[in-house]
Amino acid sequence: MREDGPVSRESLWRAPRAEAPVDASVTLPGSKSITNRALILAALASGPSTITGALRSRDTDLMIQGLRALGVAITATPDAATGTTLHVVPGPMTGGAVDCGLAGTVMRFLPPAAALADGTVAVDGDEQARTRPLGTILDALRGLGADIDGTALPFTVHGRGGLRGGTVTIDASGSSQFVSGLLLSAARFDEGVTVRHQGGSLPSMPHIDMTVEMLREAGVTVHTPGESGDADTWKVLPGKIDPVDWIVEPDLSNATPFLAAAAVTGGTVRVPLWPSRTTQPGDAIRGILADMGADVRLDDDVLTVTGPKTLRGIDIDLRDIGELTPTVAALAALADGPSVLRGIAHLRGHETDRLAALATEINKLGGAVTETDDGLRIEPRPLHGAQWHSYADHRMATAGAILGLVVDGVDIEDVGTTAKTLPGFENLWAAMLDESASAEQGALS
């Protein structure tokens, strides 16, 4: 794994050590996945929509800015109780310039919408994003009638105010976002769309389920593989997209580092407003933590995790929940036995090669992580402090913070990359530890 160049001390964040088991309640902002899907659907709807509890982060702000560049009116109203409410008024979309940053949802969800614009849409992103695979969705759009120059960032969409649509066969084994991106805009295509996946197994199926559920909430007719009997095929019928007043759930994947804090310190963390039913992949952390020895309870809408004296190793297929891999890898590095994380070869095409990055950084701390064809094998070892590179990857940064709770001297480079999905992570992390310290002091007095 290539390491970044020299890092100045000023750019490092010393991950705080937990001096005692954590004991805190942590309230998380809204889901990035839901927010960005709701933004696309609202931008293409037949009337104005609101998105209550929307996440404001780099990824969601890039989606907002991208849609505004195409002529969609979006205004934000902060609310102390619910977070940000977005008011989205769709209109005729025009050409413009779109910055994707490193946001996979923007670079894969926005091009199908851009093909409906009347004008040229120039799309680019961060330098690291130019290596992310996009040919699958861009070639699919060409097959549906779009005029697009390029196979990766930067690329240009020559919109003609509409798109024919039809049937397309893709290999989406690299990312479920290729399927979701096509489905989200498909009702506005003249013929709708039929998407057939042909290739390796599909990762992150819960994210496709989320897309289908949100489409149906917006009045769109969707046929899934289980309903049509046609394996790995989704069909969206042409028609209007209804305006919806969306309510965004807390981001459950962003909750996982905080719940992991309870697990690795033998403490307790409570997360309010945890949904009893959800399509968010982050909900799977409940079963993972329980399998590793934690006590996990969902009472009303509060999820409470209490860590064990010792974490157990785990053998798990994370194909559908790959975004949890950095958190699970950090937990496994602190367990009392070996772990095997499987089904996640597709993570080599995320913000960075997450498998190589995790192996490199945990091993720098004294760990014993080896890459397999489709995952990681993690043997627990005594860990020590070292510099932890984030690779501009928000989940790499939070994995380092988890380890830093119980390992002295973990210095995280560019912790600010967490703003991609969770602005103010460092403050939330510090608040968790401050609340824990106050609780301990109160118990002793």
Side-chain angles (χ1 to χ4, degrees):
M1 178 73 186
R2 181 190 66 80
E3 294 187 18
D4 297 341
V7 178
S8 70
R9 297 299 304 177
E10 291 75 15
S11 68
L12 299 176
W13 178 72
R14 172 63 58 90
R17 176 78 185 258
E19 301 301 331
V22 299
D23 184 358
S25 295
V26 181
T27 300
L28 277 300
S31 161
K32 176 201 75 173
S33 297
I34 295 175
T35 299
N36 273 356
R37 282 166 172 78
L39 278 164
I40 290 287
L41 291 171
L44 299 176
S46 58
S49 300
T50 60
I51 306 172
T52 301
L55 174 68
R56 296 304 301 272
S57 70
R58 188 181 186 220
D59 277 18
T60 57
D61 284 350
L62 286 168
M63 183 67 87
I64 290 168
Q65 292 159 13
L67 290 170
R68 283 174 174 163
L70 302 185
V72 180
I74 303 175
T75 57
T77 304
D79 185 288
T82 62
T84 298
T85 296
L86 299 175
H87 305 271
V88 183
V89 180
M93 291 195 298
T94 60
V98 172
D99 177 9
C100 295
L102 269 175
T105 52
V106 179
M107 63 185 75
R108 287 151 181 170
F109 293 179
L110 201 140
L116 298 168
D118 187 6
T120 298
V121 181
V123 186
D124 203 353
D126 292 358
E127 183 177 352
Q128 301 100 311
R130 294 177 180 176
T131 62
R132 296 195 71 176
L134 291 178
T136 298
I137 196 160
L138 298 181
D139 287 344
L141 287 170
R142 291 186 187 98
L144 297 172
D147 181 3
I148 301 174
D149 296 332
T151 58
L153 290 170
F155 61 87
T156 303
V157 180
H158 301 284
R160 299 192 181 96
L163 193 64
R164 183 190 71 245
T167 298
V168 66
T169 299
I170 64 172
D171 180 355
S173 57
S175 174
S176 66
Q177 290 174 353
F178 296 133
V179 175
S180 288
L182 292 169
L183 298 183
L184 284 167
S185 296
R188 292 285 305 275
F189 301 167
D190 296 343
E191 300 175 13
V193 79
T194 298
V195 179
R196 292 195 176 98
H197 163 65
Q198 189 173 76
S201 59
L202 267 169
S204 304
M205 279 297 297
H207 277 126
I208 298 178
D209 295 339
M210 176 187 293
T211 298
V212 169
E213 184 171 288
M214 292 182 69
L215 281 165
R216 287 174 172 165
E217 192 171 346
V220 176
T221 300
V222 188
H223 299 299
T224 63
E227 296 161 340
S228 65
D230 195 352
D232 291 334
T233 300
W234 290 260
K235 185 173 184 177
V236 175
L237 299 185
K240 67 184 181 68
I241 298 173
D242 294 335
V244 174
D245 291 332
W246 301 99
I247 306 295
V248 179
E249 299 171 358
D251 194 309
L252 306 189
S253 293
N254 277 339
T256 64
F258 299 90
L259 298 173
V264 302
T265 66
T268 298
V269 167
R270 296 162 293 277
V271 177
L273 304 177
W274 197 279
S276 59
R277 177 186 173 277
T278 181
T279 53
Q280 288 192 65
D283 189 49
I285 194 65
R286 293 193 287 155
I288 294 170
L289 290 171
D291 288 345
M292 297 186 80
D295 179 69
V296 181
R297 290 176 285 114
L298 181 59
D299 297 319
D300 295 327
D301 66 349
V302 178
L303 180 66
T304 302
V305 171
T306 300
K309 288 185 178 179
T310 308
L311 282 167
R312 296 192 292 260
I314 192 170
D315 186 328
I316 187 170
D317 189 329
L318 295 171
R319 184 180 317 277
D320 284 343
I321 49 175
E323 65 195 55
L324 304 190
T325 299
T327 293
V328 178
L331 290 165
L334 299 170
D336 65 355
S339 295
V340 177
L341 314 186
R342 295 178 283 105
I344 44 177
H346 61 283
L347 297 189
R348 293 188 169 100
H350 275 226
E351 281 85 343
T352 187
D353 179 341
R354 278 187 178 159
L355 300 187
L358 285 164
T360 297
E361 298 310 310
I362 294 174
N363 289 346
K364 278 165 52 180
L365 272 57
V369 182
T370 54
E371 288 189 60
T372 65
D373 288 344
D374 73 338
L376 299 171
R377 180 174 178 83
I378 302 173
E379 300 276 353
R381 294 285 189 274
L383 301 182
H384 55 73
Q387 199 173 102
W388 178 278
H389 287 276
S390 70
Y391 304 90
D393 185 330
H394 54 135
R395 301 205 193 279
M396 282 298 300
T398 57
I402 295 167
L403 293 169
L405 289 170
V406 294
V407 178
D408 286 326
V410 177
D411 290 321
I412 298 175
E413 168 264 337
D414 189 22
V415 72
T417 194
T418 53
K420 183 177 191 294
T421 59
L422 186 55
F425 165 77
E426 307 97 302
N427 296 332
L428 282 170
W429 202 249
M432 174 184 69
L433 294 174
D434 290 344
E435 183 180 339
S436 303
S438 298
E440 183 187 21
Q441 188 173 14
L444 294 175
S445 60

